[in-house]
């Protein structure tokens, strides 16, 4: 078995589960839908979103990432996106995205 940095086979960077009862769970994905990050590893960290905030039944502010396609848009692109944001993770402090950040997250 080769270490991931030395192999040309990049199958570990994603897959699409067409049999999932929730597939596709995020509308608007244009490339191969990547299910590898079904539960985003950035949920507890700062990220470019787009996410909305809700308060759970215990009064905690949480992210609703329903509108986010970033970890699902193509195998290589989503892998690179997650790796970039996990290089220097910062704990999410419950902050809403401002208008500029929301616009940037939508690609505008």
């Amino acid at each position: 078995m080769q270490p991931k940095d030395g192999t040309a086979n990049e199958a570990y960077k994603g897959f699409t589960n067409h049999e999932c009862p929730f597939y596709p769970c995020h509308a608007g994905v244009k490339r191969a839908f990547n299910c590898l990050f079904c539960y985003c590893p950035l949920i507890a960290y700062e990220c470019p979103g787009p996410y909305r905030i809700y308060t759970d039944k215990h009064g905690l502010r949480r992210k609703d990432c329903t509108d986010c396609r970033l970890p699902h848009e193509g195998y290589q692109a989503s892998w690179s996106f997650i790796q970039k944001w996990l290089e220097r993770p910062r704990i999410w402090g419950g902050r809403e995205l401002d208008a500029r950040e929301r616009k940037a997250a939508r690609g505008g």
Side-chain angles (χ1 to χ4, degrees):
M1 180 174 177
Q2 295 177 328
K4 66 181 178 185
D5 292 9
T7 182
N9 182 339
E10 295 187 344
Y12 63 90
K13 292 185 178 180
F15 68 94
T16 304
N17 183 0
H18 295 281
E19 301 302 316
C20 177
F22 305 105
Y23 175 80
C25 54
H26 295 268
V29 173
K30 295 177 179 74
R31 291 179 262 180
F33 195 100
N34 192 350
C35 297
L36 181 64
F37 303 112
C38 178
Y39 288 94
C40 185
L42 302 177
I43 192 73
Y45 299 106
E46 293 289 340
C47 70
Y51 57 83
R52 289 177 278 179
I53 304 294
Y54 71 96
T55 303
D56 72 9
K57 66 181 182 178
H58 304 290
L60 297 172
R61 291 170 58 86
R62 305 233 184 233
K63 289 182 189 178
D64 173 358
C65 302
T66 303
D67 295 333
C68 185
R69 300 181 312 268
L70 298 170
H72 303 294
E73 187 78 55
Y75 300 164
Q76 180 66 41
S78 61
W79 178 267
S80 297
F81 167 76
I82 293 293
Q83 297 307 307
K84 174 188 171 207
W85 281 89
L86 288 178
E87 282 179 5
R88 292 188 179 90
R90 293 182 319 210
I91 299 295
W92 178 66
R95 182 180 69 82
E96 300 264 1
L97 292 173
D98 64 32
R100 181 184 53 79
E101 291 168 319
R102 271 194 301 281
K103 183 177 180 182
R106 287 192 298 268

